[in-house]
Amino acid sequence: MKKLMIGNEAVARGLYEGGLTVVSSYPGTPSTEITEALAKYDDLHAEWAPNEKVALETAFGASLAGARAATAMKHVGLNVAADPLFTLSYTGVSGGLVVCVADDPAMHSSQNEQDSRHYAVASKLPMLEPADSAECLSFAKAALSLSEEYDTPVLLRLCTRVSHSQSLVETGERTVPEKKPYVKNIEKFVMMPANAKKRHPVVEARTEKLTAFAENCPFNKIENPGRKIGVITSGTAYQYVKEVLGDTVSVLKLGLVNPLPRKMIRDFAAGVETLYVIEELDPVIETHVRTLGLDPIGKAVFSPIGEFSQATVRAAFVIPDPAHLPADPALPARPPMMCAGCPHRGMYYTLAKNKVTVLGDIGCYTLGAVPPLSAVDSTLCMGASVSGLHGFLKASDGSASKKTVAVIGDSTFIHSGVTGLINASYNGSNSTVVILDNSITGMTGHQQNPTTGFNIKGDPAAKVDLEALCKAVGINRVKVVDPYDLAACDKALKEELAADEPSVIISRRPCVLLKYVKPKPALRVDPQKCRACKKCMGLGCPAVSMKTGKAKIDETLCVGCGVCSELCAFGAIEGGADR
Amino acid sequence: MKSINVMIVGVGGQGSLLASRLLGAVLVSEGYDVKVSEVHGMSQRGGSVVTYVRAGEKVASPIVEQGEADFVLAFEKLEGARFAPYLKKDGILIVNTQEIDPMPVITGKTGYPSDALDHLTGIEVEALDAKTLAEKAGSVKAVNVVLLSRLAKRLPFPKSVWTKALAETVAPRFLEMNLRAFDLGYGE
């Protein structure tokens, strides 16, 4: 029976049917649901790892042991996992190994829009790119076999519109091939110079074999040959081409996007009068096509910025858009913001009030950068708050350590913040690091992590003791505060900034969206007492507004955290949290 | 087979994912090829969220562009006005009149455009207080099902396929309340 599945769920299904037995990943939009869907099966091992490097290395170990394994991550996660990836290209695999990587063109939930196809080229690994959920299933399944057949990890590239679009798939049965016996093979798996030198030619020879495969493989196909216009495309761009141009153009749809075929492309180009390459993000296919001596219409017309749609293709082929109402530029924007009752808000308010420079990190709490709090000064990548603060202090005079902090979430701290803290401790900077511990990986939709005490299935697991961890790396001053208690936050911040040694403040309260966190009764404003001083508005809480001249609390949004009532100098905000 | 393009828009956290999944399930059961494009991640945190549902003989693109939607199902008034340009000429905007202030309004930088629907021409606007109906059914969370029932009334499928999809999608303990919400919106 055909059923609707998002691409990520279909990838999981394909890996499952292909006999996957181990998956290890770190969550990241838009890749997260691959691993979540795999965790629902009981006949394989699924886990959240502390970061993408650990995840890929875990998958490598499973492959080395002879089992079929995978990892899934977002595009920037592959930067973290790039170290094992490049050398895995040399070792090859034992059991099939698939690395799923989901790009985020248009940056719906990302800090950049890098094109992970460059990784396939640079690491000399085959990369498959499905264009809908049915292909997600069949490509993921095939990737496991391809990996074993060519003795290589296989990259499976997705993007937001494939990962998070539902389309129809037909599921099949799971077949688990017999686990290969572990055989010691030092020349293949110990990548010291003498062995690696022998493996590099193997990699080059494999690329030639895969290029020959690309010329005539089930992933690359030609549709409607013999038209005047020919379009080489892949992934979602293929869907927009089909939507607008249908059968009026010849299409070479590439499902194997590295290595790319040569003869197939030359022959296709020879059969058409005008050649287009339509690909999202960077000109990866176009560059290859140009090395073949062809001159396609590509990035000169199709922007490397953002994601495409049918409108992109219409514009390029001068087809008018359908008539529609004009957009009203006067309508107020609705940017994302921290939820009412978000435990991060109290700490951010304290940081803003103390005019502290904040090196931030990746998570929901990046939203502390938006007005009115505007409390974050930098956001780069996972972990960069802690290590960045150390460098910032080393380049500044001593006074900087009295007004600069790093802010990082619990999951991000485990991912790659703790290494920065070790550096700050070891190389002696007077860092103050605030760990916003909301007891979950929030932004990606509530995944467990090593600090929560639960594993991916929600079963009890070993729990990292953050206080003990910080102390173990040499931080003597570790304080825990409740971010709903503004006075305690202010006191802890002032004390730790003043201290002449590195310190960690753990701002601890579970995310309000967690099911076990029960909202308290909503607060009320007594309009008689409210003097409209707008102090409560400084929190940027979506439940508090000032539309009627006096503060007003939306009882459908308020969870009774009480932070606004702590701020009110006139006692106008009543009710709320009973801590 | 006539193609159907629907956009479901609202504010992060309003439950638009359930509405799109229900609609997708109904369209599949009626024999359509279907694509549904969802949004996850940061924009879900109180921002504008958009879900596209497309059905037809064969659907290629998973997204709906300006001027292509037959229906925009808006969970909030301002979002309804914001995405009205996605409607075809004579398209239908089914909009919940609930107002949820975005941050620029909360901070007082600008006012909430309460009259935003009044200027829309060349489309049909069906405005309703879905929040009150949902509360009547038992939970404000059922706003999504109330709105979906209004769309259901305008699509050529029997009521039974919708209630069947509800039974298959919604957790059993919430089914009765959701069926009540559907009936309140759909009418007899």
Side-chain angles (χ1 to χ4, degrees):
Chain A
M1 193 191 94
K2 286 196 169 186
K3 58 187 273 191
L4 279 178
M5 271 190 197
I6 60 168
N8 283 347
E9 199 184 343
V11 168
R13 182 70 204 182
L15 292 171
Y16 176 75
E17 290 178 8
L20 184 93
T21 54
V22 174
V23 61
S24 180
S25 306
Y26 184 81
T29 311
S31 72
T32 312
E33 299 81 6
I34 296 172
T35 309
E36 286 182 325
L38 282 166
K40 289 185 180 142
Y41 297 111
D42 285 327
D43 44 352
L44 55 80
H45 172 78
E47 65 176 32
W48 292 128
N51 65 40
E52 295 85 353
K53 179 179 183 293
V54 173
L56 176 53
E57 290 157 354
T58 300
F60 154 70
S63 163
L64 182 69
R68 290 190 162 184
T71 179
M73 61 197 70
K74 66 185 294 171
H75 58 330
V76 286
L78 194 54
N79 300 335
V80 179
D83 195 1
L85 183 80
F86 277 70
T87 306
L88 274 168
S89 176
Y90 280 36
T91 63
V93 303
S94 176
L97 176 57
V98 176
V99 179
C100 309
V101 54
D103 288 2
D104 190 16
M107 294 174 276
H108 296 277
S109 196
S110 299
Q111 65 269 42
N112 75 29
E113 54 184 347
Q114 68 185 50
D115 186 329
S116 53
R117 293 177 300 169
H118 294 297
Y119 272 109
V121 176
S123 63
K124 307 185 182 198
L125 290 173
M127 177 181 259
L128 295 171
E129 183 178 27
D132 61 20
S133 296
E135 286 190 351
C136 282
L137 193 156
S138 66
F139 284 23
K141 197 170 174 175
L144 285 166
S145 310
L146 197 68
S147 168
E148 289 177 7
E149 193 179 336
Y150 286 87
D151 190 8
T152 176
V154 174
L155 290 156
L156 184 73
R157 186 212 188 201
L158 305 153
C159 68
T160 302
R161 295 297 179 192
V162 170
S163 284
H164 288 162
S165 289
Q166 300 177 44
S167 56
L168 290 168
V169 298
E170 196 136 13
T171 57
E173 294 301 311
R174 170 168 165 92
T175 318
V176 185
E178 198 170 331
K179 183 169 167 286
K180 296 180 180 176
Y182 174 67
V183 180
K184 185 164 178 153
N185 188 344
I186 290 174
E187 288 196 337
K188 178 165 154 64
F189 286 111
V190 181
M191 284 303 93
M192 55 189 183
N195 292 340
K197 279 178 190 169
K198 289 182 202 145
R199 291 300 299 177
H200 189 182
V202 175
V203 173
E204 299 302 328
R206 181 181 71 205
T207 299
E208 278 313 302
K209 276 185 220 150
L210 280 162
T211 306
F213 172 70
E215 301 289 358
N216 190 19
C217 72
F219 307 106
N220 299 336
K221 59 181 187 189
I222 290 170
E223 297 175 358
N224 319 311
R227 306 287 193 266
K228 282 184 180 168
I229 293 172
V231 177
I232 303 175
T233 185
S234 72
T236 41
Y238 164 79
Q239 303 292 4
Y240 307 132
V241 169
K242 294 303 283 186
E243 183 73 33
V244 176
L245 303 172
D247 295 338
T248 63
V249 297
S250 298
V251 172
L252 169 51
K253 178 186 179 295
L254 296 166
L256 180 63
V257 291
N258 193 62
L260 290 164
R262 293 189 278 257
K263 183 174 181 298
M264 189 185 202
I265 290 173
R266 279 207 187 93
D267 290 351
F268 179 77
V272 299
E273 286 175 21
T274 313
L275 183 66
Y276 284 82
V277 174
I278 306 182
E279 57 190 321
E280 269 183 344
L281 300 179
D282 295 340
V284 175
I285 298 170
E286 182 181 344
T287 302
H288 172 79
V289 170
R290 289 189 183 282
T291 65
L292 302 177
L294 300 164
D295 185 21
I297 298 167
K299 287 296 155 187
V301 175
F302 297 91
S303 173
I305 301 163
E307 63 179 0
F308 290 175
S309 74
Q310 46 270 42
T312 316
V313 179
R314 282 197 293 259
F317 287 85
V318 204
I319 299 166
D321 283 324
H324 60 82
L325 290 172
D328 182 353
L331 294 178
R334 190 185 299 275
M337 56 189 168
M338 288 192 289
C339 308
C342 176
H344 302 325
R345 183 173 282 107
M347 182 50 76
Y348 273 128
Y349 180 82
T350 306
L351 294 167
K353 193 184 101 182
N354 283 281
K355 298 191 167 53
V356 173
T357 298
V358 176
L359 283 87
D361 227 293
I362 305 284
C364 284
Y365 52 90
T366 311
L367 292 169
V370 303
L373 289 165
S374 306
V376 179
D377 292 72
S378 75
T379 298
L380 185 63
C381 66
M382 297 286 284
S385 59
V386 185
S387 26
L389 171 64
H390 172 70
F392 191 91
L393 298 180
K394 286 293 179 192
S396 310
D397 64 36
S399 67
S401 72
K402 307 299 177 197
K403 54 184 184 196
T404 315
V405 302
V407 162
I408 186 166
D410 48 330
S411 186
T412 310
F413 180 73
I414 295 295
H415 178 284
S416 48
V418 66
T419 41
L421 190 66
I422 291 168
N423 192 41
S425 169
Y426 174 57
N427 285 308
S429 69
N430 188 9
S431 291
T432 301
V433 173
V434 181
I435 301 176
L436 299 173
D437 179 7
N438 65 348
S439 310
I440 203 72
T441 310
M443 177 99 285
T444 44
H446 285 177
Q447 288 73 33
Q448 302 294 345
N449 69 55
T451 70
T452 66
F454 297 94
N455 65 19
I456 194 169
K457 287 179 182 279
D459 297 327
K463 181 177 159 94
V464 171
D465 180 337
L466 282 175
E467 293 91 311
L469 176 61
C470 295
K471 285 184 178 158
V473 305
I475 308 296
N476 298 314
R477 299 180 67 95
V478 180
K479 270 194 188 148
V480 180
V481 296
D482 177 357
Y484 280 1
D485 186 341
L486 292 179
C489 288
D490 195 63
K491 181 167 175 280
L493 179 68
K494 287 194 164 85
E495 282 174 6
E496 297 317 316
L497 285 171
D500 285 323
E501 60 176 300
S503 50
V504 170
I505 300 169
I506 301 173
S507 172
R508 178 172 289 151
R509 201 169 245 279
C511 173
V512 283
L513 299 182
L514 283 166
K515 284 208 174 79
Y516 68 81
V517 177
K518 298 292 173 216
K520 300 252 164 56
L523 277 68
R524 299 170 305 277
V525 177
D526 181 344
Q528 304 300 320
K529 292 186 186 166
C530 176
R531 310 271 183 94
C533 71
K534 295 192 178 173
K535 199 165 182 193
C536 53
M537 298 298 296
L539 287 168
C541 177
V544 187
S545 65
M546 189 69 72
K547 283 209 293 190
T548 52
K550 296 279 172 100
K552 189 173 180 305
I553 292 174
D554 183 333
E555 80 272 12
T556 63
L557 292 173
C558 179
V559 296
C561 77
V563 172
C564 58
S565 68
E566 291 173 50
L567 277 182
C568 184
F570 308 104
I573 303 175
E574 299 160 345
D578 174 17
R579 283 192 298 273
Chain B
M1 183 177 270
K2 197 175 168 292
S3 71
I4 302 171
N5 291 336
V6 181
M7 272 175 85
I8 302 176
V9 304
V11 178
Q14 278 192 299
S16 60
L17 280 187
L18 175 70
S20 65
R21 294 203 161 187
L22 281 167
L23 177 56
V26 164
L27 291 163
V28 170
S29 73
E30 291 297 303
Y32 286 81
D33 183 30
V34 176
K35 283 192 177 164
V36 180
S37 197
E38 307 170 350
V39 177
H40 300 228
M42 185 170 271
S43 55
Q44 282 186 300
R45 299 281 172 263
S48 282
V49 290
V50 181
T51 306
Y52 309 102
V53 182
R54 304 193 64 214
E57 191 74 43
K58 178 89 187 107
V59 177
S61 168
I63 63 183
V64 176
E65 265 290 356
Q66 292 196 331
E68 294 181 349
D70 299 286
F71 299 93
V72 168
L73 198 60
F75 284 41
E76 198 272 348
K77 191 198 273 182
L78 168 57
E79 298 311 308
R82 191 190 313 285
F83 290 100
Y86 282 78
L87 282 165
K88 287 177 177 164
K89 192 176 171 298
D90 302 324
I92 299 164
L93 172 64
I94 300 172
V95 54
N96 181 13
T97 51
Q98 188 183 353
E99 297 181 2
I100 300 176
D101 292 344
M103 199 38 92
V105 173
I106 291 171
T107 57
K109 219 173 109 190
T110 180
Y112 187 99
S114 290
D115 60 349
L117 300 175
D118 304 347
H119 318 304
L120 303 173
T121 52
I123 59 167
E124 183 185 338
V125 178
E126 179 186 339
L128 70 150
D129 181 357
K131 194 179 154 202
T132 300
L133 286 174
E135 279 165 353
K136 213 169 141 190
S139 168
V140 67
K141 288 204 164 81
V143 158
N144 50 13
V145 174
V146 170
L147 284 165
L148 191 68
S149 70
R150 292 302 176 101
L151 175 66
K153 250 188 120 76
R154 292 172 178 269
L155 291 176
F157 317 129
K159 189 177 172 186
S160 58
V161 303
W162 295 93
T163 49
K164 183 166 171 278
L166 262 172
E168 285 166 1
T169 312
V170 174
R173 66 182 190 283
F174 298 126
L175 181 60
E176 202 182 315
M177 184 271 291
N178 277 299
L179 286 172
R180 222 166 25 237
F182 191 87
D183 279 342
L184 277 172
Y186 197 93
E188 292 314 313

